């Protein structure tokens, strides 16, 4: 480090001497002019300091100052300049100096100097994973700028700042896309599905931050290679460890700490990235509030990816992902019929992805993937009057094999064609009484089902102005035994049943799913796009709470619960302004069938026959999204406004299956107005200031239509669902990142990030509920109301955190 | 190793790490919102296999000058009908509640339904329901525990209260699905029968004191913020009920001996002994689901995983309009009782009445030197109500003498 610095200073002095000598020799011949060179990063226009400038003819040069400037006075003449800087592509430039001249030079970051084998591997992968139309990409460098709660870089919170994406509140076990429910999004982490994407009851997402290379979100024109979820696909990609040397990065914080290692194991053959994050700081909670004495909240997530390059044409990768949470909160209701003093939640995800990409020619590839995903939520009930723990456990075992051939025929046509087989093995739940004798062991039948799909997609540009994306997916779903199919009388009582043995086919569904997209280029910087997609969904998460718990029941379709399906139409106008801003307006309409909702009094816990507790209803969602984005420059960011509706409608014939008199009503995810704004000020190479403001209509909730005294209690009476709305949600977040390394050649680079979440302490209620008026509690606050009412908020104050992040390479 | 050098560097920097998590109360009172519907009818009742156990109440909602009120509907024709034999039992209206004859009781296995005709002529019925077989409650016990509940003071702060947790034991039969509903009554002998806020008890009512100007200074000295209390003129018992909806299904414990099942608590508001009667009802699955919904909307609504509100629809319908929402339920049940008597003198130092103003046993009688209207009064009658009785609880003396 010091040696390098000395070397450059020495070089500068030598060059200066030569320059002086040269200028003395020519001083009498020509006029002297000033040359000013300003060097900055082409990506963000931030001035680059210490850039080396060499002027061949005078054997002289120098380095830029902190503002990226370099000055020199030279005689009239022709000069060849060489501008170089570590990590950036070298620039050579010829000038003729016959006047004072100011030269602006933009330098581009260069790819690392990697071996040819690895560069080939990068190109191979890029070709296979080429972007589809209608995809919203967020690179890691964008995500890390977004201020987030607890100072944690968070994929899902970043997503909620995009147009059309919301969550269920400050704690939300997933995201809602264009008014869809949380389970209507397919979340893939290196192609393996993640069934519970959040830590700590939804405070932040489980994906190991430092290993993520980027996130693609498909919410309109979902490519035919994806299927099974109606609203969106969130494709989170793990970095490929293309490296020739050891790299470390990580961070230290009171909430969690993390470390990632990227290293070659066998040079140019076997490469690895391994990252992990852990949070074990719940012992601090009682310091902040006595009410948090009984709260436990620990978590771990880690990702390991191995990349094997057996030949120039083959690339084999293996990704392992593990996450686990353990928490205990007083704010969670106990389970009925299990007598316990407290409940704890313990859940884990264990995913593996094995992928092989083979290049058949320069333009044709075969990619084959094997996936295994296991999600195991557990609830631990500590018995009230005994030293015993009762354990409830459920499990999803998901397996997938997928093979896809893709080819770029020419500049106008490329296509892919593939087959996919999924297997779901769901254990809906088992109850282990431990060493107690208060309950019996329970073990519900596993639900085993298969989803077989074939798909193809053609991207075709018939003219310079028109491009088409035509996709088709065909799915076949089978539910196999063991299964008990009941027959019910008019009162809902079981009159007979049919037993299916292990492996016997119970029910099958199939469907053709067209996916269409078209773009008409209006000019060099504007276009109109239309899209259509039909998708069937055979698995759903069943819950009757504001946000699903990690232990909420997952259920595949069966003879009673029909697959959900939708038809989504989109129309958009896209325009780039002055090459700096990207502007778009997108409209969409989506009709859905067989959305699941709960019946009054539904209880899904260890219920064998769920058909008695749910009904299936129609839905529709529509909206217009306005989006403005400035991706580069010292000031960059985006803002969007969405007007949208998300509605549901029952068609019940009896009272218990009728919701809001079978009229359209607002779904839990209806947010008519949403505004998001994210702005980053990169004042210099050391400081980045980011602000994020979000405001949206409050969540629909249900207010009582009456109050009656029942068993000496004042009980609210509800006749409708979602007939009111919580107050408008709004929040401003701020982060300030300070990179303190002055020397760009440091192998160790660190930064401090200060995050202030909810800067002005907005109290945004997650829920509002009624209580009995308890004597003189809260004085006369509730007035003559027959009931009291409270707002439950999770983040209702300023939340400040500081973390230290580092990189070593 | 360079790597470890930098790790140590990071650890040094860790000293500068701070996190300020300014947790405030995450629950705040708010002005309740309603969309009141007028003329809602709510029907609630039990048909049981114990005399005096069956009743029906019929209530209606109304908005009076913008204020929501409910009131019992008088003049209804209410009858229980045996769905098999067709036998009809007419109920009489007593203080807003419809009651059958004192000796009326049903038997397990019988099928009963309700028929109501309102004064307006509207007719409501319940779907027939079979009385489940009775499971006897074997025993009950009261166990003293610290912090059984919290009491909210007038200033809004929570104060923990010790008390007795109530547990029952019963043997769940193996050969059937069983659903249980528990409630209890607590009798506690009281010495105060009346409190007159800022006033005195004269001629059967509380009078607010109003003194002539020349006596106001003197009266203010004695009477400022004074609530006189009056002893009971005969032995009198306060009656309390459990404040939680307790339901239990044997879905996870079929055929087991259910031991130490907690059904509620009796806070230590005084050191007087209490006499407690547990009612264990065997109910149908449909009734269990109804009470589960009732519990969800009234008690389970404040948690992070609160069930979303839903309509409290039971087994009632309008035979002339099946689309009408009829609120409430008639529950056909079999009942088993058990009583316990609990002394509390040993826990006296933890009783709320001993160290704060929330106890119910504090006497603040009239005193002769006070400028009060004649005659000074020290006792008030024990007014019969749902929460007070002068009738000695059945079994009280048996336990008390033991």
């Amino acid at each position: 480090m010091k040696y390098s610095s000395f070397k450059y200073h020495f070089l500068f002095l030598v060059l200066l001497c030569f320059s002086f000598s040269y200028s003395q020799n020519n001083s009498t011949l020509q006029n002297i002019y000033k040359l000013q060179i300003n060097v900055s990063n082409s990506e963000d226009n931030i001035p680059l300091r210490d850039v080396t400038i060499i002027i061949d003819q005078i054997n002289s040069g120098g380095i830029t100052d902190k503002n990226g400037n370099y000055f020199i006075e030279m005689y009239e003449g022709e000069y060849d300049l060489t501008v170089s800087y570590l990590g950036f592509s070298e620039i050579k430039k010829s000038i003729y100096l016959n006047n004072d001249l100011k030269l602006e030079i933009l330098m581009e970051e260069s790819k690392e100097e990697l071996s040819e084998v690895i560069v080939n591997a990068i190109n191979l992968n890029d070709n296979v994973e080429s972007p589809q139309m209608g995809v919203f990409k967020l690179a890691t460098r964008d995500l890390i700028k977004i201020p987030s709660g607890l100072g944690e870089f968070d994929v899902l919170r970043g997503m909620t700042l995009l147009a059309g994406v919301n969550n269920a509140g400050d704690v939300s076990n997933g995201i809602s896309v264009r008014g869809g429910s949380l389970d209507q999004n397919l979340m893939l982490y290196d192609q393996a599905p993640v069934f519970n994407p959040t830590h700590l009851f939804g405070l932040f997402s489980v994906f190991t931050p430092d290993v993520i290379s980027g996130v693609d979100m498909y919410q309109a024109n979902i490519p035919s290679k994806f299927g099974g979820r109606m609203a969106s696909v969130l494709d989170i990609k793990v970095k490929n460890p293309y490296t020739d040397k050891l790299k470390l990065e990580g961070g230290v914080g009171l909430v969690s700490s993390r470390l990632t290692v990227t290293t070659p194991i066998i040079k140019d053959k076997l490469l690895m990235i391994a990252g992990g994050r852990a949070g074990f700081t719940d012992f601090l909670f009682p310091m902040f509030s006595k009410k948090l004495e009984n709260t436990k909240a620990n978590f771990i997530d880690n990702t390991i990816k191995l990349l094997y390059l057996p030949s120039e044409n083959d690339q084999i990768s293996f990704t392992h992902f593990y996450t686990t949470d353990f928490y205990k909160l007083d704010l969670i209701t106990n389970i009925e019929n299990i007598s316990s003093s407290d409940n704890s939640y313990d859940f884990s995800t264990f995913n593996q992805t094995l992928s092989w990409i083979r290049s058949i020619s320069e333009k044709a590839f075969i990619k084959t993937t094997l996936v295994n995903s296991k999600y195991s939520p557990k609830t631990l009930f500590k018995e009230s009057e005994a030293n015993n723990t009762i354990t409830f456990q459920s499990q999803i075992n998901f397996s997938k094999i997928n093979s896809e051939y893709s080819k770029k025929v020419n500049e106008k046509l490329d296509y892919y064609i593939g087959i996919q087989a999924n297997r779901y093995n769901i254990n809906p739940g088992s109850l282990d009484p431990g060493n107690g004798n208060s309950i019996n062991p329970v073990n519900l039948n596993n639900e085993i089902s298969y989803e077989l799909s074939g798909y193809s997609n053609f991207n075709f540009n018939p003219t310079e102005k028109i491009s088409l994306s035509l996709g088709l997916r065909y799915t076949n779903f089978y539910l196999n035994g063991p299964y008990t199919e009941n027959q019910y009388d008019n009162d809902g009582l079981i009159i007979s049943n049919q037993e299916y043995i292990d492996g016997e086919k119970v029910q099958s569904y199939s469907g053709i799913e067209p996916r269409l997209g078209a773009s008409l280029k209006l000019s060099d910087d504007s276009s109109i796009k239309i899209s259509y997609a039909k998708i069937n969904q055979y698995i759903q998460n069943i819950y009757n709470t504001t946000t699903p718990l990690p232990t909420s029941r997952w259920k595949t379709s069966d003879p009673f619960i029909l697959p959900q399906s939708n038809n989504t139409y989109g129309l958009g106008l896209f325009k780039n302004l002055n090459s700096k801003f990207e502007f778009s307006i997108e409209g969409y309409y989506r009709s859905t069938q067989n959305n699941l909702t709960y019946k009054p009094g539904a209880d899904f816990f260890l219920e064998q026959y769920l058909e008695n507790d749910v009904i299936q209803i129609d839905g529709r969602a529509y909206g217009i999204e306005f989006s403005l984005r400035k991706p580069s420059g010292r000031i960059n960011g985006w803002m969007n406004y969405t007007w949208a509706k998300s509605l549901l409608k029952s068609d019940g014939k009896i009272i218990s299956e009728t919701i809001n008199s079978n009229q359209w009503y607002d779904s839990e995810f209806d947010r008519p107005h949403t505004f998001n704004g994210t702005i980053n000020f990169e004042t210099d190479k050391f400081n980045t200031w980011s602000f994020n403001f979000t405001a949206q209509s409050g969540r629909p909730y249900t207010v009582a239509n009456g109050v009656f005294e029942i068993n000496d209690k004042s009980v609210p009476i509800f006749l409708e669902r979602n007939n009111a709305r919580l107050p408008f949600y709004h929040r401003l977040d701020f982060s300030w990142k300070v990179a303190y390394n002055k020397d760009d050649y440091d192998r160790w680079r660190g930064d401090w990030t200060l995050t202030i979440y909810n800067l002005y302490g907005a109290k945004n209620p997650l829920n509002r509920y009624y209580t009995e008026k308890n004597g003189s509690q809260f004085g006369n606050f509730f007035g003559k109301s027959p009931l009291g009412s409270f707002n439950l908020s999770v983040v209702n104050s300023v939340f400040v955190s500081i973390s230290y992040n580092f990189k070593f390479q | 190793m360079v790597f470890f050098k930098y790790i140590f560097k990071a650890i040094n920097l860790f000293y500068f790490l701070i996190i300020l998590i300014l947790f405030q109360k995450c629950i705040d009172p708010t002005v309740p919102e309603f969309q009141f519907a007028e003329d809602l009818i709510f029907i609630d009742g039990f048909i049981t296999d114990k005399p005096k156990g069956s009743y029906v109440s019929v209530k209606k909602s109304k908005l009076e000058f913008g204020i929501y009120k409910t009131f019992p509907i008088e003049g209804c024709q209410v009858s229980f009908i045996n769905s098999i034999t067709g036998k009809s039992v007419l109920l009489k209206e007593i203080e807003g509640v419809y009651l059958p004859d004192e000796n009326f009781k049903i038997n397990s296995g019988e099928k009963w339904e309700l028929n109501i005709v309102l004064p307006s002529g509207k007719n409501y019925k319940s779907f027939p329901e079979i009385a489940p077989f009775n499971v006897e409650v074997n025993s009950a016990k009261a166990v003293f525990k610290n912090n059984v509940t919290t009491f909210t003071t007038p200033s809004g702060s929570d104060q923990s209260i010790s008390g007795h947790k109530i547990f029952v034991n019963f043997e769940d039969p193996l050969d059937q699905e069983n659903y249980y509903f528990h409630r209890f009554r607590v009798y506690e002998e009281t010495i105060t029968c009346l409190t007159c806020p800022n006033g005195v008890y004269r001629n059967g009512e509380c009078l607010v004191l109003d003194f002539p100007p020349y006596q106001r200074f003197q009266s203010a000295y004695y009477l400022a913020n004074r609530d006189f209390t009056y002893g009971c003129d005969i032995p009198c018992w306060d009656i309390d009920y459990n404040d939680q909806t307790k339901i239990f299904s044997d879905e996870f414990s079929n055929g087991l001996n259910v031991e130490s099942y907690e059904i509620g608590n009796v806070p230590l508001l005084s050191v007087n002994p209490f006499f407690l009667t547990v009612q264990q009802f065997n109910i149908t699955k449909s009734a269990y689901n109804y009470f589960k919904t009732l519990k969800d909307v009234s008690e389970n609504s404040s948690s992070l995983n609160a069930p979303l509100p839903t309509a409290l629809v039971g087994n009632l319908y309008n035979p002339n309009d099946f689309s009408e929402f009829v609120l409430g339920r008639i529950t056909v049940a079999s009942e088993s009782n058990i009583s316990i008597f609990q002394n509390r003198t040993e826990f006296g130092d933890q009783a709320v009445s001993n160290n704060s103003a929330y106890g119910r046993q504090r006497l603040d009688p009239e005193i002769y030197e006070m400028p009060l209207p004649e005659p000074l009064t020290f006792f008030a009658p024990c007014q019969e109500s749902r929460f007070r009785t002068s009738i000695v609880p059945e079994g009280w003396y048996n336990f008390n003498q033991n």
Side-chain angles (χ1 to χ4, degrees), chain B residues 15-36:
Chain B
Y15 289 117
F16 296 99
L17 263 173
I18 58 165
I19 183 165
L20 303 171
I21 305 173
L22 307 175
F23 278 105
Q24 297 174 6
K25 271 167 66 174
C26 56
I27 294 168
D28 298 296
T30 186
V31 177
E33 274 188 83
F34 297 96
Q35 291 180 10
F36 286 124

Side-chain angles (χ1 to χ4, degrees), chain A residues 171 201 248 252-255 288-289 291-292 329 331-333 336-339 345 384-385 431 437-440 442 544-547 549 598-603 605-606 655 668 699 701-721 723-725 740 748 752 763 766-770 774 776-778 781-782 784-794 796-804 806 808, chain B residues 2-3 6-7 9-10 13-14 16-37 40-42 44 46 55 59-61 67-68 70 145 152-154 156 158 167 181 183 241-245 247-249 251-257 259-262 285 288-313 322-325 327 386-387:
Chain A
V171 291
F201 212 84
L248 291 174
V252 186
L254 284 185
V255 175
F288 303 114
S289 169
K291 288 185 174 178
L292 297 172
L329 295 173
L331 283 169
I332 297 179
T333 305
E336 213 65 62
N337 302 319
I338 296 178
S339 180
Y345 292 81
S384 304
E385 295 296 309
L431 203 58
N437 55 6
S438 66
I439 62 159
N440 295 315
V442 178
N544 62 347
T545 51
T546 312
T547 182
L549 287 175
Y598 60 95
K599 283 185 188 176
D603 186 358
F605 183 73
L606 281 171
I655 289 286
E668 318 298 332
R699 179 177 68 78
Y701 84 111
T702 305
V703 301
N705 302 99
V707 179
F708 280 98
E709 197 87 6
I710 308 170
N711 299 334
D712 299 318
K713 294 168 77 75
S714 294
V715 177
I717 300 296
F718 302 95
L719 303 179
E720 301 167 319
R721 281 190 198 175
N723 53 0
R725 201 172 281 283
Y740 63 83
W748 180 278
W752 291 90
K763 291 189 173 186
L766 178 74
N767 197 11
R768 181 174 285 178
Y769 62 92
Y770 297 105
N774 192 359
S776 56
Q777 189 180 7
F778 298 106
F781 190 89
F782 300 128
K784 292 182 176 171
S785 163
L787 290 169
S789 179
F790 290 85
N791 283 336
L792 171 66
S793 329
V794 174
N796 61 354
S797 56
V798 182
F799 210 99
V800 185
S801 62
I802 294 180
S803 61
Y804 174 73
F806 63 87
F808 175 85
Chain B
V2 177
F3 167 66
Y6 288 117
I7 289 292
K9 190 175 173 182
L13 290 168
F14 182 80
F16 296 99
L17 263 173
I18 58 165
I19 183 165
L20 303 171
I21 305 173
L22 307 175
F23 278 105
Q24 297 174 6
K25 271 167 66 174
C26 56
I27 294 168
D28 298 296
T30 186
V31 177
E33 274 188 83
F34 297 96
Q35 291 180 10
F36 286 124
L40 291 177
I41 305 286
F42 191 90
D44 175 36
F46 263 78
Y55 70 91
K59 293 177 187 165
K60 188 176 183 177
S61 69
I67 296 172
Y68 176 85
T70 62
K145 300 270 182 186
T152 304
T153 65
D158 290 340
F167 300 93
F181 175 70
R183 64 186 184 197
Y241 301 85
N242 56 319
D243 56 2
Q244 292 177 321
T245 306
I247 48 170
F248 183 79
S249 152
E251 60 176 325
F252 307 132
S253 50
N254 188 28
L256 295 180
N257 187 16
E259 290 179 343
S260 298
Y261 174 65
E262 186 185 332
K285 183 177 183 180
Y288 173 86
N289 289 338
Y290 172 84
F291 286 115
K292 171 77 169 55
T293 306
L294 174 66
K295 185 171 183 169
D296 284 346
V297 296
S298 59
E299 295 167 26
N300 292 340
S301 59
S302 62
S303 59
L304 282 175
N305 61 330
L308 295 167
T310 186
L312 201 55
V313 178
F322 283 92
S323 66
E324 184 181 341
F325 245 104
L327 298 163
R386 185 167 153 67
F387 298 98

Side-chain angles (χ1 to χ4, degrees), chain A residues 673-746:
Chain A
H673 304 282
T674 304
F675 173 82
N676 293 308
T678 296
I679 190 162
N680 306 303
F681 297 97
E682 295 172 14
T683 50
D684 53 44
K685 62 189 277 192
F686 302 112
N687 294 283
T688 304
W689 312 74
S690 299
F691 292 89
N692 160 47
F693 178 70
T694 183
Q696 57 183 253
S697 306
R699 179 177 68 78
Y701 84 111
T702 305
V703 301
N705 302 99
V707 179
F708 280 98
E709 197 87 6
I710 308 170
N711 299 334
D712 299 318
K713 294 168 77 75
S714 294
V715 177
I717 300 296
F718 302 95
L719 303 179
E720 301 167 319
R721 281 190 198 175
N722 297 345
N723 53 0
R725 201 172 281 283
L726 291 173
F728 214 77
Y729 181 100
H730 53 95
R731 197 188 74 236
L732 177 65
D733 311 323
F734 162 74
S735 79
W736 176 28
K737 179 180 167 185
V738 185
Y740 63 83
N741 292 65
K742 289 184 178 172
D743 193 336
D744 291 312
Y745 307 109
D746 278 357

